[in-house]
Amino acid sequence: MVKQTIQIFARVKPPVRKHQQGIYSIDEDEKLIPSLEIILPRDLADGFVNNKRESYKFKFQRIFDQDAKQETIFENIAKPVAGSVLEGYNGTIFAYGQTGSGKTFTITGGAERYSDRGIIPRTLSYIFEQLQKDSSKMYTTHISYLEIYNECGYDLLDPRHEASSLEDLPKVTILEDPDQNIHLKNLTLHQATTEEEALNLLFLGDTNRMIAETPMNQASTRSHCIFTIHLSSKEPGSATVRHAKLHLVDLAGSERVAKTGVGGHLLTEAKYINLSLHYLEQVIIALSEKHRSHIPYRNSMMTSVLRDSLGGNCMTTMIATLSLEKRNLDESISTCRFAQRVALIKNEAVLNEEIDPRLMIKRLQKEIQELKDELAMVTAEQRTEALTEAELLQLEKLITSFLEDQDPESRLEVGADMRKVHHCFHHLKKLLNDKKIFGNNTVSNTVSSESKDQDCQEPLKEEEYRKLRDILKQRDNEINILVNMLKKEKKKAQEALHLAGMDRREFRHSQSPPFPPGNPEEGQRMRLSSAPSQAQDFSILGNRSSLLHKKTGMREEMSLGRQEAFEIFKRDHADSVTIDDNKQILKQRFSEAKALGESINEARSKIGHLKEEITQRHIQQVALGISENMAVPLMPDQQEEKLRSQLEEEKRRYKTMFTRLKALKVEIEHLQLLMDKAKVKLQKEFEVWWAEEATNLQVKSPAVNSLDHTKPFLQTSDSQHEQSQLFSNKSSGGWEVQGQGTGRFDVCDVNARKILPSPCPSPHSQKQSSTSTPLEDSIPKRPMSSIPLTGDSQTDSDILAFIKARQSILQKQYLQLLCSLSPKSAVSFAQPSTNRKGLSDVLVTR
Ligand code: ADP
Ligand code: MG
């Protein structure tokens, strides 16, 4: 048993902007225990009414300042815990701090760089590395990922996540067995045999969490996430299994609701936004007080799940994440105070050993066999499981003569054989029962009761028959209903297909597939999987994160118009830079891996050749020895010496390259997962934006299907009016597509192509434009009511949202264009007299 208080560490997040000097300092006392001093600036300290202190000092096991690397955090905090988990003890690491202080960064890692990966991926890497090294035990690893939001538990790895909304998934609930052990119902455990598999599960869970999040449920700040590694180990031949769990916990933001700050009361103790954090604090207070018999674990789901981690069978570590900026000082102080209480809690970790029943049975069977053998040796006769026919007959005869013998002293001697003793008793019991039955004349009774049974079976059958008939009838009805539904669905689908066909015809000139086949990243994956044999296990990368890719597949269902809007949205999104950067790094890593794979193969064949050469030399020497009758020299000659040192060198090179390739593989894997996640995020944000556009539009024009279709598109202000005319009415030909065919999208500039559907006139329209028609004149005569609306409200709102989105993008682009143009042309551009040729010329020259 290991007794230990909860270890507390502090990590200070680098500031977004430069910190004011002197807000905090880190010192060590004479016993080298570090302490963090938070110094309140005068203006804040003055505000304290009851507690007029200017600085606060808190002790921690260690304090990691702003420049601490993720690797340092792992080495100092997580590695020792992972080590004890490998030995068979439970471990927990939890991050506590206000939103934005770096909990997720510390536990899971940053979303951009490989070097930013946090405790979870590094711990997985470390654990799997250790498991591979230790051949003395057999290990199995399982992963679970639980999210607790509003006191409800959700399984982040539930495969139904994709198809259902969070509310429809079965909730994870707590069950307690008679020994007060906690079990989580509906939380799936997934076996992970490699680091990659475990990493995939982590990213799958994170992606599921991100997708479930809506602006209304800011789950990432208000929910707790518990990533658990379940490790079992067993020595070969032993019946004892060790189980250990490692919880890596990203808690909800610890900030409080009220943060008045105005006129003082900076440290106002307000209610936690998060009830379960409040209960966590209560449990911590109860545990840190001596002589408290009742600990209120049951008050919340989180404290129930983490019961062992808090004052129980677990080695627990807390990381207090601090954002020491002036406006966050109050939260930081309360985080530190919480940590000080946590540090008082004593845990007692024991090895979790248990006997595997299957292995126990095997062991007992072996023992029985050994005892049987011993018995056979002592009695000098082999015993079978059961008695033979002859032995049974013999026994029964003995019993009969025993019963018939009138001598009260007579005995039934069967010998020291329990099988025979048992059989005698059974036989006697049978005889006694038979005598009872026959003695009471029960034979006839039995017969009559049997016939009675038969009688009453008849009505039963009748009843059953009726029931079955009813059920049959019900089923027939159900089938009829289903067939009707099916027919209706089919009809609907056909109609939709028809509409989709129209839709495609409309857009066919403006689109490129969302992920063109030439996508460099996909291409790289393909190429790598056909790389040389050493790099062959990279081929799993191709289908590696299929789970995540399934999610990004959402886009395939988008209509073409929506895809176009998505492409533009994607290009302008802040994350696209990160995605592009990562793509570049990934490309580099891929080519590095490929080159390494080739070098490894070279080294391997070189090793083969060198070995072959050495063997050849040996054979030659032996042959020479035989033919010249000379003894084969014992020591290798100089030439062989040289070959051997070359061989060693090659082997070393091979090993170094192989290790590098393995590391590269993990890095590539990680980068791909990061990118997948970023893509899902982008898509999600797009969906939200799209939905917003759609609702805005519906609000603005309740009667979308009325004759006045132009209404939603017309802007109110004059300048907007001009722009909208310029970019939607005129250029768009875009929206009166049915009649205009291919000419309208032949735009000169690739970029402008997406933005301006038809500023560049087709040869056929050129004539018209060259007559310097003022803009107003070129407003199409056909009104916007020619937009093909489908009558289906969802589809129509999609179409309208697309138009709106397109318009706003066009406007944005237009303004950018104006800004980038010379003042003169910009002015003339905005003037009504600007002609279409002028515009297209500008675009061509851009
Ligand atoms: P929390 O989970 O506590 O709400 P996050 O981990 O999401 O906070 O951190 C907020 C932001 O600060 C993120 O963009 C994260 O990348 C960044 N960040 C946090 N800690 C660090 C750190 N130690 N070094 C660099 N960036 C950090
Ligand atoms: Mg977070």
Side-chain angles (χ1 to χ4, degrees), residues 585-846:
I585 300 173
L586 203 58
K587 248 187 184 171
Q588 281 171 12
R589 297 287 178 271
F590 266 115
S591 46
E592 208 179 316
K594 203 178 157 198
L596 259 180
E598 278 161 11
S599 308
I600 283 176
N601 262 3
E602 249 170 51
R604 213 162 68 122
S605 66
K606 232 178 191 173
I607 290 172
H609 284 140
L610 284 168
K611 277 187 179 163
E612 179 69 14
E613 231 174 293
I614 292 172
T615 325
Q616 284 299 333
R617 261 195 91 70
H618 268 234
I619 294 170
Q620 274 172 14
Q621 276 174 351
V622 173
L624 204 72
I626 293 169
S627 67
E628 299 193 358
N629 220 354
M630 270 161 47
V632 181
L634 285 174
M635 296 292 284
D637 64 1
Q638 221 177 9
Q639 177 67 16
E640 193 180 330
E641 201 74 76
K642 206 172 138 200
L643 284 175
R644 278 189 190 280
S645 75
Q646 268 180 15
L647 183 68
E648 285 313 308
E649 178 56 31
E650 254 342 290
K651 276 186 180 168
R652 260 197 303 280
R653 215 166 73 85
Y654 178 86
K655 216 170 160 188
T656 325
M657 286 192 296
F658 198 75
T659 320
R660 171 74 190 130
L661 187 65
K662 253 171 97 178
L664 260 182
K665 187 181 156 199
V666 176
E667 184 174 349
I668 287 171
E669 182 88 1
H670 197 99
L671 282 171
Q672 282 185 330
L673 288 168
L674 282 179
M675 276 176 52
D676 288 343
K677 208 165 122 183
K679 279 183 200 160
V680 176
K681 181 169 164 249
L682 194 74
Q683 180 139 19
K684 208 192 130 209
E685 282 173 14
F686 169 73
E687 296 293 340
V688 171
W689 172 77
W690 182 265
E692 267 171 17
E693 292 293 319
T695 17
N696 285 347
L697 214 62
Q698 274 170 340
V699 171
K700 273 190 200 155
S701 74
V704 281
N705 254 344
S706 74
L707 269 175
D708 190 12
H709 279 149
T710 45
K711 216 172 179 180
F713 314 109
L714 291 175
Q715 309 290 324
T716 43
S717 85
D718 281 346
S719 65
Q720 279 175 329
H721 184 67
E722 275 168 18
Q723 288 161 23
S724 70
Q725 282 177 345
L726 187 61
F727 290 108
S728 68
N729 292 0
K730 289 188 185 79
S731 56
S732 136
W735 296 108
E736 9 158 37
V737 281
Q738 288 115 331
Q740 294 219 352
T742 54
R744 67 196 169 83
F745 281 125
D746 49 7
V747 181
C748 318
D749 179 317
V750 184
N751 275 330
R753 177 188 162 94
K754 283 183 184 161
I755 311 302
L756 300 165
S758 171
C760 225
S762 65
H764 134 92
S765 60
Q766 191 117 25
K767 214 174 91 201
Q768 184 195 6
S769 58
S770 65
T771 57
S772 304
T773 323
L775 278 177
E776 289 90 342
D777 293 351
S778 61
I779 297 173
K781 292 291 170 273
R782 192 128 50 109
M784 296 290 276
S785 56
S786 60
I787 297 158
L789 290 178
T790 61
D792 176 70
S793 66
Q794 177 64 37
T795 318
D796 287 349
S797 74
D798 267 5
I799 293 175
L800 294 174
F802 172 70
I803 296 168
K804 173 87 185 306
R806 190 185 176 99
Q807 234 176 329
S808 78
I809 291 165
L810 292 179
Q811 280 167 14
K812 211 164 75 190
Q813 290 290 325
Y814 170 70
L815 286 175
Q816 278 172 5
L817 192 64
L818 282 185
C819 292
S820 64
L821 288 171
S822 69
K824 194 175 155 234
S825 54
V827 170
S828 65
F829 214 59
Q831 307 243 314
S833 61
T834 310
N835 64 34
R836 288 171 75 178
K837 178 134 195 318
L839 173 56
S840 60
D841 283 345
V842 171
L843 283 162
V844 175
T845 52
R846 256 165 68 76

Side-chain angles (χ1 to χ4, degrees), residues 217-493:
N217 111 39
Q218 277 292 316
S220 62
T221 63
R222 294 188 195 159
S223 71
H224 317 281
C225 274
I226 307 180
F227 183 89
T228 309
I229 306 170
H230 308 249
L231 199 68
S232 311
S233 64
K234 189 180 83 69
E235 279 172 22
S238 157
T240 317
V241 188
R242 278 188 187 169
H243 299 285
K245 274 187 264 184
L246 173 57
H247 294 306
L248 301 167
V249 189
D250 184 357
L251 290 177
S254 63
E255 57 273 8
R256 290 141 207 268
V257 177
K259 190 174 186 178
T260 59
V262 194
H265 298 295
L266 189 71
L267 293 185
T268 317
E269 288 282 330
K271 221 171 147 261
Y272 273 116
I273 52 163
N274 195 298
L275 204 60
S276 47
L277 273 187
H278 168 73
Y279 287 125
L280 174 68
E281 193 171 51
Q282 290 206 333
V283 166
I284 304 267
I285 292 172
L287 283 166
S288 55
E289 283 173 6
K290 278 183 190 165
H291 317 301
R292 268 285 282 267
S293 59
H294 175 69
I295 310 293
Y297 290 112
R298 283 209 184 97
N299 279 353
S300 89
M301 176 152 193
M302 210 238 313
T303 45
S304 302
V305 175
L306 294 182
R307 182 179 181 149
D308 263 344
S309 314
L310 306 165
N313 170 20
C314 188
M315 293 190 176
T316 303
T317 296
M318 166 183 168
I319 307 174
T321 54
L322 303 165
S323 167
L324 287 168
E325 285 172 46
K326 196 169 156 187
R327 65 197 158 88
N328 290 328
L329 286 187
D330 54 344
E331 293 296 350
S332 301
I333 291 170
S334 77
T335 298
C336 290
R337 279 186 177 156
F338 181 79
Q340 306 301 298
R341 278 207 207 104
V342 168
L344 300 175
I345 298 173
K346 285 197 187 80
N347 280 2
E348 289 180 1
V350 289
L351 279 179
N352 304 298
E353 287 184 331
E354 136 184 324
I355 308 279
D356 183 336
R358 278 170 311 169
L359 292 170
M360 198 63 196
I361 289 170
K362 264 194 191 151
R363 186 188 268 185
L364 290 176
Q365 277 172 340
K366 202 168 152 226
E367 203 175 317
I368 289 171
Q369 191 52 47
E370 279 168 9
L371 288 172
K372 271 185 182 169
D373 291 346
E374 242 173 75
L375 197 67
M377 271 167 71
V378 174
T379 57
E381 63 179 68
Q382 279 293 339
R383 286 207 179 151
T384 49
E385 279 289 298
L387 295 163
T388 61
E389 278 296 314
E391 282 171 321
L392 289 175
L393 257 171
Q394 174 74 20
L395 267 181
E396 275 156 32
K397 262 190 205 157
L398 271 175
I399 294 168
T400 317
S401 57
F402 169 69
L403 289 175
E404 283 169 358
D405 195 343
Q406 299 300 318
D407 182 2
E409 296 287 301
S410 76
R411 290 172 64 171
L412 182 60
E413 299 281 1
V414 290
D417 187 340
M418 285 313 285
R419 296 171 306 165
K420 288 182 182 167
V421 174
H422 285 310
H423 184 76
C424 286
F425 278 116
H426 278 142
H427 194 71
L428 281 168
K429 189 174 175 181
K430 187 170 171 273
L431 288 177
L432 198 72
N433 282 343
D434 286 353
K435 191 162 179 248
K436 250 196 220 161
I437 292 164
F438 290 110
N440 291 344
N441 258 349
T442 42
V443 179
S444 57
N445 283 353
T446 324
V447 173
S448 68
S449 76
E450 257 175 29
S451 64
K452 227 189 262 167
D453 265 2
Q454 264 174 4
D455 287 344
C456 64
Q457 260 172 17
E458 281 310 307
L460 247 182
K461 267 188 188 160
E462 185 69 30
E463 178 122 317
E464 222 163 79
Y465 176 65
R466 224 185 17 249
K467 256 190 208 160
L468 285 172
R469 216 170 39 200
D470 286 351
I471 290 174
L472 213 62
K473 225 174 177 177
Q474 268 179 19
R475 293 286 173 272
D476 272 349
N477 279 342
E478 280 169 18
I479 288 168
N480 280 337
I481 293 168
L482 285 171
V483 167
N484 279 338
M485 277 168 74
L486 216 62
K487 274 184 194 159
K488 270 185 206 158
E489 283 300 310
K490 217 166 152 186
K491 208 171 147 203
K492 254 194 213 163

Side-chain angles (χ1 to χ4, degrees), residues 47-326:
F48 286 110
V49 176
N50 303 321
N51 204 355
K52 212 168 168 145
R53 283 170 61 182
E54 288 187 345
S55 83
Y56 293 80
K57 222 170 182 171
F58 304 100
K59 286 190 175 140
F60 286 93
Q61 225 91 25
R62 251 188 97 160
I63 299 161
F64 296 92
D65 209 349
Q66 299 171 20
D67 48 4
K69 297 261 176 310
Q70 293 285 63
E71 187 171 1
T72 317
I73 299 288
F74 169 73
E75 289 289 330
N76 289 280
I77 301 179
K79 203 169 167 181
V81 182
S84 345
V85 172
L86 284 164
E87 281 173 35
Y89 294 100
N90 290 336
T92 298
I93 300 174
F94 69 94
Y96 181 99
Q98 72 184 109
T99 299
S101 59
K103 295 180 299 296
T104 308
F105 186 83
T106 302
I107 297 290
T108 309
E112 288 172 19
R113 280 179 298 273
Y114 178 62
S115 56
D116 281 349
R117 65 202 193 287
I119 286 178
I120 300 180
R122 284 172 199 268
T123 305
L124 287 172
S125 192
Y126 176 71
I127 287 182
F128 280 102
E129 192 186 306
Q130 296 303 309
L131 298 193
Q132 241 180 7
K133 277 189 196 161
D134 183 7
S135 53
S136 69
K137 292 199 192 91
M138 282 137 44
Y139 289 96
T140 39
T141 316
H142 286 85
I143 304 287
S144 64
Y145 204 177
L146 169 71
E147 177 175 30
I148 302 174
Y149 178 68
N150 264 347
E151 278 305 300
C152 291
Y154 299 97
D155 181 2
L156 286 176
L157 301 180
D158 189 319
R160 286 162 291 189
H161 247 287
E162 283 170 59
S164 332
S165 72
L166 209 57
E167 291 71 30
D168 299 333
L169 290 175
K171 306 261 185 306
V172 177
T173 48
I174 293 179
L175 302 175
E176 204 175 318
D177 69 15
D179 299 330
Q180 296 197 325
N181 293 317
I182 297 289
H183 301 274
L184 293 170
K185 196 179 151 200
N186 291 332
L187 182 69
T188 49
L189 290 191
H190 298 254
Q191 184 161 11
T193 48
T194 59
E195 181 188 342
E196 287 80 24
E197 280 176 23
L199 209 60
N200 266 334
L201 290 168
L202 167 68
F203 275 83
L204 175 69
D206 280 346
T207 309
N208 279 337
R209 185 187 189 198
M210 190 170 72
I211 286 175
E213 192 176 62
T214 62
M216 291 306 290
N217 111 39
Q218 277 292 316
S220 62
T221 63
R222 294 188 195 159
S223 71
H224 317 281
C225 274
I226 307 180
F227 183 89
T228 309
I229 306 170
H230 308 249
L231 199 68
S232 311
S233 64
K234 189 180 83 69
E235 279 172 22
S238 157
T240 317
V241 188
R242 278 188 187 169
H243 299 285
K245 274 187 264 184
L246 173 57
H247 294 306
L248 301 167
V249 189
D250 184 357
L251 290 177
S254 63
E255 57 273 8
R256 290 141 207 268
V257 177
K259 190 174 186 178
T260 59
V262 194
H265 298 295
L266 189 71
L267 293 185
T268 317
E269 288 282 330
K271 221 171 147 261
Y272 273 116
I273 52 163
N274 195 298
L275 204 60
S276 47
L277 273 187
H278 168 73
Y279 287 125
L280 174 68
E281 193 171 51
Q282 290 206 333
V283 166
I284 304 267
I285 292 172
L287 283 166
S288 55
E289 283 173 6
K290 278 183 190 165
H291 317 301
R292 268 285 282 267
S293 59
H294 175 69
I295 310 293
Y297 290 112
R298 283 209 184 97
N299 279 353
S300 89
M301 176 152 193
M302 210 238 313
T303 45
S304 302
V305 175
L306 294 182
R307 182 179 181 149
D308 263 344
S309 314
L310 306 165
N313 170 20
C314 188
M315 293 190 176
T316 303
T317 296
M318 166 183 168
I319 307 174
T321 54
L322 303 165
S323 167
L324 287 168
E325 285 172 46
K326 196 169 156 187

